[in-house]
Amino acid sequence: MSSYEIFVDSTTDLPAAMADELRLHVIPYIYTLDGKDYHNYLDYRELSVKDFYNALRDGKMATTTQVTAHRYLEAWKPFLEDGKDIIYMCLSSLLSKSYDQSLIAAREAEETYPGRRVISIDSKSACMGQGLLAVKAARARNAGKSLEELAAHIEEVIPKIQQWIMADDLNHLKRGGRISGAKAVIGTMLNVKPILTFFDTGRLAPVGKARGRSKALALFVEYLDKYDYVKDETIYIPHSDVPELAQQLKDMLIEKGITDIVVNEIGPVIGAHTGPGTVALMFLGNGEREKEE
């Protein structure tokens, strides 16, 4: 057994059974829907994702909050008291202030528990791109990497995580400041689907568009070659209540001879910002992410 524990966010949107099997400790983010607070557990025990997206379709609003330093400390405390170190991979710092809070918590934890290490890493990712990183970290830990070796390994993997997102409900992107109100209206009228990606800085922004869902999915498949998909690595397809669209993309990948594919729902915290109808492709590439100009 390793002398440290791996913590991740529920925004990894991994299947709950997969996170359990890999011995990942998952911190649930909190979201508010129609005035009521919920924890975004990976098994959606407080509210199903189907009910969540139906609520959004009915016009209800969802908001999210950052994780506080106190919540981090409470989650880490039992393991620190047991003599374990902590490594934590956070949602992109350009999407949430949770990372800043985790750094505060890490400093306090090391002061409170002398000799213990707490390493917090900005994943510069979200959703199953963040999940991809968590899986790679867990497998490296299980292969025997030390805390310091794992931290270095994670930093090497982050720039190679390709995350491509097609959003269907442009009004959610407008509310989140990703596109303008005018673009949302015109795009909806013309059936234009914006394509977003995570830049090397961890910023999420539109980088292109496609006329219709099928053309957007075809672009995703092209990105496997463009960004030099690492053969035999798992590919992740997150979606927000559009299983038929996720299956269409999966079938397209199978036609290319790719079979190691994980499909899962986008949870409520990420879904509050993307809205229903979103599908994404996330994979490890030899080529690095798009860079900020």
Side-chain angles (χ1 to χ4, degrees), residues 5-247:
E5 300 292 333
I6 298 177
F7 276 77
V8 297
D9 304 323
S10 59
T11 51
T12 55
D13 289 332
L14 290 170
M18 188 176 189
D20 289 343
E21 181 181 351
L22 291 169
R23 294 189 293 118
L24 295 168
H25 300 285
V26 183
I27 296 177
Y29 273 45
I30 296 172
Y31 65 97
T32 303
L33 178 66
D34 203 25
K36 183 178 178 180
D37 290 342
Y38 298 89
H39 290 82
N40 181 184
Y41 292 105
L42 291 183
D43 60 6
Y44 318 124
R45 68 190 71 164
E46 294 185 355
L47 182 71
S48 73
V49 283
K50 188 71 175 178
D51 288 342
F52 172 78
Y53 286 117
N54 282 340
L56 294 190
R57 292 185 178 102
D58 289 341
K60 292 184 170 63
M61 291 288 295
T63 58
T64 60
T65 57
Q66 67 187 26
V67 180
T68 64
H70 175 73
R71 284 191 64 210
Y72 284 124
L73 287 167
E74 288 298 301
W76 299 338
K77 181 179 178 181
F79 302 96
L80 294 168
E81 290 181 341
D82 195 36
K84 296 291 187 72
D85 294 327
I86 302 291
I87 190 164
Y88 165 60
M89 290 164 285
C90 187
L91 175 68
S92 174
S93 63
L94 294 184
L95 290 183
S96 169
K97 295 297 183 184
S98 294
Y99 177 62
D100 294 336
Q101 291 292 306
S102 75
L103 293 178
I104 294 170
R107 287 194 296 270
E108 185 172 339
E110 290 184 344
E111 290 172 0
T112 305
Y113 301 94
R116 297 277 59 79
R117 292 286 312 284
V118 178
I119 300 175
S120 180
I121 297 175
D122 179 357
S123 74
K124 299 179 181 178
S125 307
C127 196
M128 294 183 84
Q130 192 183 1
L132 180 161
L133 184 65
V135 171
K136 295 288 287 183
R139 289 174 177 166
R141 182 267 316 273
N142 294 347
K145 284 192 182 294
S146 69
L147 181 68
E148 292 75 17
E149 289 171 336
L150 181 60
H153 176 67
I154 290 169
E155 295 288 2
E156 290 173 355
V157 172
I158 289 172
K160 298 181 178 181
I161 302 173
Q162 295 292 334
Q163 301 164 91
W164 296 91
I165 302 104
M166 183 214 75
D168 191 58
D169 188 338
L170 304 189
N171 290 310
H172 282 274
L173 291 179
K174 176 181 68 104
R175 284 196 292 270
R178 305 297 170 194
I179 61 174
S180 69
K183 285 184 177 179
V185 172
I186 294 171
T188 300
M189 290 174 59
L190 298 178
N191 194 31
V192 170
K193 307 302 180 187
I195 306 297
L196 300 91
T197 194
F198 279 84
F199 286 87
D200 60 330
T201 59
R203 183 172 71 91
L204 174 65
V207 289
K209 57 184 182 246
R211 183 68 62 84
R213 292 173 162 185
S214 293
K215 289 186 177 178
L217 298 187
L219 272 178
F220 285 173
V221 175
E222 291 177 11
Y223 291 156
L224 292 174
D225 292 329
K226 182 177 180 179
Y227 295 96
D228 197 9
Y229 159 64
V230 179
K231 188 178 180 182
D232 297 329
E233 287 283 348
T234 306
I235 288 182
Y236 298 82
I237 302 177
H239 68 94
S240 52
D241 201 29
V242 277
E244 70 288 348
L245 201 59
Q247 185 62 50

